[in-house]
Amino acid sequence: NNKDYFISLLQYASSSTGDKNFVFSQDVASATWVVTHNLNKYPSVSVVNSSTEIVYGDVVYDSLNQVTITFADPTNGQAFFN
């Protein structure tokens, strides 16, 4: 009959939860933030101070679920983990 057929044996499992993320708030200024995020991965980390300005610190991945962020000066604000 000169007809072509395509059969796929691949399976795709969709997830309705999407990628995990976490927001940490540091209310009291500190030069070291130890954050347990429980994301079970090494996430990217972005930090803003209380004025919502981006700040940079030294990020050390202690484990898949904990990060230590060290700043030159005591800082308060938020850390975003993606």
Side-chain angles (χ1 to χ4, degrees):
N1 291 345
N2 293 330
K3 294 184 179 180
D4 294 327
Y5 296 91
F6 176 76
I7 298 173
S8 174
L9 301 176
L10 301 175
Q11 294 180 349
Y12 175 73
S14 65
S15 173
S16 62
T17 59
D19 192 25
K20 297 183 265 182
N21 59 70
F22 178 74
V23 177
F24 173 78
S25 294
Q26 178 71 36
D27 297 325
V28 178
S30 177
T32 303
W33 299 3
V34 178
V35 182
T36 302
H37 52 74
N38 290 322
L39 295 175
N40 201 35
K41 64 178 185 175
Y42 298 111
S44 63
V45 181
S46 302
V47 180
V48 297
N49 63 17
S50 58
S51 300
T52 65
E53 299 168 325
I54 296 172
V55 292
Y56 299 95
D58 182 40
V59 177
V60 174
Y61 294 94
D62 304 320
S63 70
L64 283 173
N65 293 303
Q66 182 176 294
V67 169
T68 299
I69 308 169
T70 305
F71 303 98
D73 298 308
T75 304
N76 61 326
Q78 291 184 305
F80 301 91
F81 298 82
N82 295 300

